[in-house]
């Protein structure tokens, strides 16, 4: 059997079949847990943006989270994407109920240069977005309220543009200028 | 000296995977920008390498020579996927900090290299020792590189949010070049030269 011409083919087929079984099993064990963990991660990020949050609802069509406290809406949240230096930057944007003021933003995922662009996840950069109006989401040199990170203009611009574009798209072009 | 101990220690200096065998340089260049990355990558890497060595060693007498490389690749790819899924499912916090390194392990040729050069010719215990030793050697190398790159590139050192220390002046105007691939090549090249000059490259 071991000397047969077919043995290598059969062995490789066997190994691949075992791999398929192992992966299928692992996937079925972990699928629900991974989905749950992702939901929890979103919930944690939302409650970091809206400390008073009691609960939230999610609308699949618009991709908007409505944040509730005492059954009244205290804000909306949705995701945006910026084009960074190292790849896409996923951003979570929190808006106050007036749809014109930012509650704040958080970075969901990014691949910017550590020590430079990756500073966009730090509070000193993110806090600049809290409480400003949509019109003010520009870099300071363009008349806005956001100071770019030294040496990481591309990453800073990516976040600013991603946030602006997402909000403008959401409100419809020309809504707030 | 028992063969277990010998196989474990040889990977750290004498056949250090990065500086002597010069394997897996691509992922090393990519992730060696901070100490956090170095620790995370090493942890994930050691787990996969030891498991891969165990499996390859266990089936070594049944693997036909002609298809051994595809067999090893299937084993490694499966292992990496399983570790990735398990971490996402059961340790989401750990997965969040290590998650990006796991898929990188699959392209780390050290693992295939050890399967081919060691595990398929040696027993399970020795293969575990080899995996641990090479894993530690990889850790030492990537830690050294990250140490220099983070220190010069940002002017300070941090480990999981704790500030270890900073160089006054340099932390305001860091030599950011060390965070870029160019700086990685410079640092790796100089460390390689140093390792060789110290005469630890007796490995043939």
């Amino acid at each position: 059997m071991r000397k047969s011409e077919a043995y290598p083919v059969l062995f490789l087929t066997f190994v691949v079949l075992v791999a398929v079984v192992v992966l299928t099993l692992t996937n079925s064990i972990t699928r629900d847990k991974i989905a749950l963990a992702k939901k929890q991660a979103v919930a944690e990020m939302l409650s970091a943006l809206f400390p008073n949050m009691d609960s939230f609802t999610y609308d699949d069509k618009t991709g908007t989270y409505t944040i509730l406290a005492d059954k009244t809406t205290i804000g909306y949240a949705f995701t945006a994407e910026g084009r960074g230096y190292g790849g896409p930057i996923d951003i979570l944007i929190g808006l106050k109920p007036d749809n014109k003021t930012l509650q704040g933003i958080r970075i969901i995922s990014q691949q910017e240069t550590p020590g430079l662009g990756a500073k966009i996840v730090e509070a000193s950069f993110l806090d600049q977005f809290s409480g400003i109006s949509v019109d003010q989401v520009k870099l300071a040199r363009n008349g806005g309220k956001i100071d770019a990170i030294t040496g990481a203009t591309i990453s800073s611009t990516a976040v600013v543009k991603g946030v602006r574009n997402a909000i403008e798209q959401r409100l419809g072009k020309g809504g707030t200028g | 000296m028992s063969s277990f101990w010998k196989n474990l220690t040889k990977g750290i200096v004498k056949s250090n995977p990065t500086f002597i065998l010069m394997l897996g340089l691509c992922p090393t260049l990519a992730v060696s920008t901070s100490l956090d990355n170095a620790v995370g990558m090493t942890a994930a890497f050691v787990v996969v390498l030891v498991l891969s060595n165990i499996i390859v060693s266990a089936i070594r007498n049944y693997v036909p020579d002609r298809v051994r490389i595809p067999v090893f690749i299937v084993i490694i790819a499966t292992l990496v996927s399983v570790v990735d899924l398990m971490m996402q499912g059961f340790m989401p916090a750990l997965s969040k900090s290590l998650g990006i390194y796991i898929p990188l392990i699959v392209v780390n040729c050290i693992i295939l290299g050890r399967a081919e050069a060691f595990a398929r010719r040696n027993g399970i215990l020795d293969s575990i020792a080899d995996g641990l030793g090479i894993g530690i050697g990889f850790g030492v190398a990537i830690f050294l590189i990250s140490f220099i790159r983070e220190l010069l590139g940002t002017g300070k050192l941090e480990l999981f949010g704790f500030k270890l220390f900073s160089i006054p002046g340099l932390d305001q105007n860091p030599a950011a070049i060390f965070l870029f691939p160019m700086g990685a090549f410079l640092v790796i090249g100089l460390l390689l030269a140093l390792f060789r000059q110290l005469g630890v490259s007796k490995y043939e």
Side-chain angles (χ1 to χ4, degrees), chain A residues 95-109:
Chain A
L95 270 189
K96 292 195 170 154
D98 65 2
N99 265 326
K100 282 178 188 164
T101 320
L102 269 88
Q103 172 77 22
I105 65 163
R106 286 287 181 280
I107 306 295
I108 301 169
S109 69

Side-chain angles (χ1 to χ4, degrees), chain A residues 1 4 8 14-15 33 52 70 77 83 88 91 93 103 125-126:
Chain A
M1 172 63 187
S4 145
F14 173 72
V15 169
K33 300 224 173 214
N52 300 326
D70 283 336
R83 270 195 224 158
I91 311 159
I93 303 171
Q103 172 77 22
F125 181 70
L126 294 178

Side-chain angles (χ1 to χ4, degrees), chain B residues 17-150:
Chain B
T18 305
F19 293 135
I20 307 298
L21 303 182
M22 300 214 277
L23 288 173
L25 290 183
C26 174
T28 306
L29 287 168
V31 301
S32 61
T33 46
S34 71
L35 291 184
D36 288 1
N37 285 4
V39 173
M41 184 72 186
T42 304
F45 176 79
V46 171
V47 172
V48 175
L49 178 58
V50 171
L51 287 176
S52 144
N53 265 9
I54 291 174
I55 295 175
V56 169
S57 171
I59 62 166
R60 69 185 185 282
N61 292 327
Y62 307 101
V63 182
D65 256 12
R66 276 156 58 194
V67 294
R68 63 177 195 281
I69 301 290
V71 167
F72 297 160
I73 289 174
V74 170
I75 291 171
I76 295 166
T78 309
L79 266 177
V80 170
S81 308
V82 169
V83 170
D84 190 21
L85 287 174
M86 287 288 183
M87 263 176 51
Q88 285 182 37
F90 296 97
M91 295 172 274
L94 188 67
S95 167
K96 209 179 161 195
S97 54
L98 293 190
I100 50 168
Y101 308 120
I102 308 287
L104 274 176
I105 295 176
V106 97
V107 295
N108 195 322
C109 53
I110 299 173
I111 300 194
L112 187 62
R114 294 327 287 171
E116 169 76 8
F118 194 91
R120 79 182 175 104
R121 299 200 181 96
N122 292 279
I124 293 182
L125 209 59
D126 284 336
S127 297
I128 294 176
D130 180 74
L132 286 174
I134 294 284
I136 296 168
F138 174 76
V140 168
I142 199 169
F143 198 85
L144 272 176
I145 300 165
S146 304
F147 183 90
I148 297 172
R149 289 181 70 189
E150 185 178 347

Side-chain angles (χ1 to χ4, degrees), chain A residues 13-48:
Chain A
T13 314
F14 173 72
V15 169
V16 171
L17 283 179
V18 171
V20 168
V21 171
V22 168
L23 286 176
T24 313
L25 277 177
T26 315
N27 186 39
S28 65
I29 295 170
T30 54
R31 190 172 35 207
D32 294 344
K33 300 224 173 214
I34 292 175
L36 190 74
K38 278 196 178 143
K39 257 191 206 157
Q40 271 172 355
V42 170
E44 266 168 37
M45 219 176 269
L46 288 176
S47 67

